[in-house]
Amino acid sequence: MKSANVNQRLTLLVMRDAQHAVKQIHLSKHLLMAIPAVAVLSLSGLVVAMQAHSSQVVSQLEQQVSVETLKNRQVQLTLSNREQSMERLQNEIINLSSQAKTMKLKMDTVDELEQQLKEFINKHNTTRVSGKASSQSINDSEHVGGEYIAVHDSDMLDLAKETKDDFQEMRKLLDEMQLKVPNTLEQAQETQIQISGTPTIWPTVSKVMTSSFGYRTDPFTGRAAFHAGIDIAGDEGGPVYAAGSGIVVTTEESGARGRYIIIEHPNGLQTWYMHLSRIEVSVGDSVDKGSKIARLGSTGRSTGPHLHFQVVKDDKPVNPLPYVK
Ligand SMILES: [Zn+2]
């Protein structure tokens, strides 16, 4: 197919078949050398183009992959956010439920206290009796532990319902208490007044009793006479105390009683203090149990400094000793 000229030119003979004439193509040697170079150049061009294309494709793919990864991450984030929200919600329900339980226990305690208050009132106040019993024992366990048991949605729903019930029950309890407690407090205050109003305090510093309640020989006449109180010997000017809290109804002076005070207490009780050297309260004053009301003396029908102390119940003198012993 080809013949060569050793010099600068090369001749290519092209024979197609027997019918066609042989064609001669004259090529210069330089041209012949250029052909492979052109081929190599065009091949490398192709490779470069392919490389460029493939790197473009790769970068596109990479972009797609990174977009997908981002999307996946977002989905994961959203899912984990949702899980966190659910967990928070569950924890809140658990918290709320435990708060409801604690609150209910506290309210039960208040209810029980109110009951105790009523019992106290009933014990100390004979004039009023009321109230119905309701008590519940409190079991406060501080120490907690145990195995971990996973929580299901249905458990959460149950807990939420239970909590709602607890709150409703508390509301009912509160309503009841709102009605009961003021009444009980009023009774308690009344009882407190009765307790502090009942004469129980020994009215002088000295405990030396020189004459008791009842029939005796009169120190002035020597004849039998009724002594309506007790006589307590003491220092002239020593303090005289109110045996119970109450209202001062009399501060007077008479030949027999000397300077004297009458205090009125609840339940038809009065205390009388006689032969005082000085009166330190006025009619209408409200005095506390144990407060100083006068100074001991020997005014009136008296043989020496002493306090004649008398308790009057429903206008009749009674033995003071059961009150102030
Ligand atoms: Zn007396």
Side-chain angles (χ1 to χ4, degrees), residues 25-72:
I25 300 166
H26 300 286
L27 295 169
S28 76
K29 199 179 178 183
H30 293 298
L31 187 63
L32 201 66
M33 295 290 279
I35 286 168
V38 167
V40 166
L41 273 175
S42 59
L43 263 176
S44 54
L46 194 68
V47 167
V48 167
M50 275 174 72
Q51 270 180 348
H53 178 69
S54 67
S55 76
Q56 199 189 341
V57 168
V58 164
S59 93
Q60 274 175 1
L61 281 172
E62 273 176 356
Q63 270 179 11
Q64 276 176 10
V65 165
S66 71
V67 166
E68 285 302 312
T69 312
L70 204 66
K71 273 185 191 164
N72 272 339

Side-chain angles (χ1 to χ4, degrees), residues 238-300:
V240 173
Y241 307 111
S245 63
I247 308 287
V248 177
V249 290
T250 307
T251 54
E252 279 173 13
E253 186 167 2
S254 82
R257 296 171 182 169
R259 294 194 182 102
Y260 71 101
I261 297 172
I262 300 174
I263 298 175
E264 203 157 82
H265 309 281
N267 298 325
L269 282 166
Q270 285 182 341
T271 46
W272 296 35
Y273 310 80
M274 296 181 191
H275 313 300
L276 305 167
S277 64
R278 200 168 133 187
I279 292 170
E280 295 182 343
V281 288
S282 308
V283 171
D285 280 358
S286 169
V287 292
D288 292 331
K289 182 181 275 196
S291 63
K292 193 175 159 224
I293 53 167
R295 287 181 185 278
L296 192 140
S298 190
T299 57

Side-chain angles (χ1 to χ4, degrees), residues 114 117 121 180-190:
E114 203 242 11
L117 201 59
I121 289 164
K180 286 194 296 179
V181 170
N183 190 31
T184 310
L185 275 178
E186 206 178 291
Q187 287 176 33
Q189 278 166 353
E190 210 172 286

Side-chain angles (χ1 to χ4, degrees), residues 83-208:
E83 269 168 26
Q84 278 175 5
S85 301
M86 284 293 288
E87 208 172 294
R88 268 206 298 272
L89 212 61
Q90 284 186 351
N91 284 335
E92 268 167 34
I93 291 175
I94 289 167
N95 267 337
L96 209 61
S97 142
S98 110
Q99 275 176 26
K101 291 254 181 298
T102 311
M103 210 163 137
K104 202 175 159 295
L105 276 178
K106 278 184 184 165
M107 284 173 69
D108 285 343
T109 311
V110 172
D111 198 40
E112 200 181 354
L113 279 174
E114 203 242 11
Q115 198 50 43
Q116 282 174 10
L117 201 59
K118 271 186 182 160
E119 276 164 24
F120 170 80
I121 289 164
N122 289 341
K123 198 173 148 193
H124 292 281
N125 185 349
T126 47
T127 55
R128 291 174 71 156
V129 177
S130 71
K132 61 173 191 251
S134 83
S135 70
Q136 226 162 319
S137 65
I138 313 300
N139 210 348
D140 203 352
S141 51
E142 290 285 343
H143 309 268
V144 290
E147 61 175 320
Y148 170 75
I149 299 166
V151 175
H152 301 290
D153 287 353
S154 60
D155 295 334
M156 276 295 115
L157 282 174
D158 285 349
L159 191 61
K161 197 190 166 296
E162 206 179 294
T163 305
K164 199 178 149 202
D165 289 348
D166 278 349
F167 274 115
Q168 271 172 353
E169 204 176 319
M170 272 191 277
R171 201 193 169 88
K172 216 178 111 194
L173 251 170
L174 261 180
D175 287 345
E176 278 174 21
M177 275 188 211
Q178 228 169 359
L179 289 174
K180 286 194 296 179
V181 170
N183 190 31
T184 310
L185 275 178
E186 206 178 291
Q187 287 176 33
Q189 278 166 353
E190 210 172 286
T191 306
Q192 201 266 335
I193 287 168
Q194 303 245 348
I195 289 170
S196 69
T198 306
T200 55
I201 298 261
W202 190 261
T204 54
V205 176
S206 159
K207 299 276 168 74
V208 181

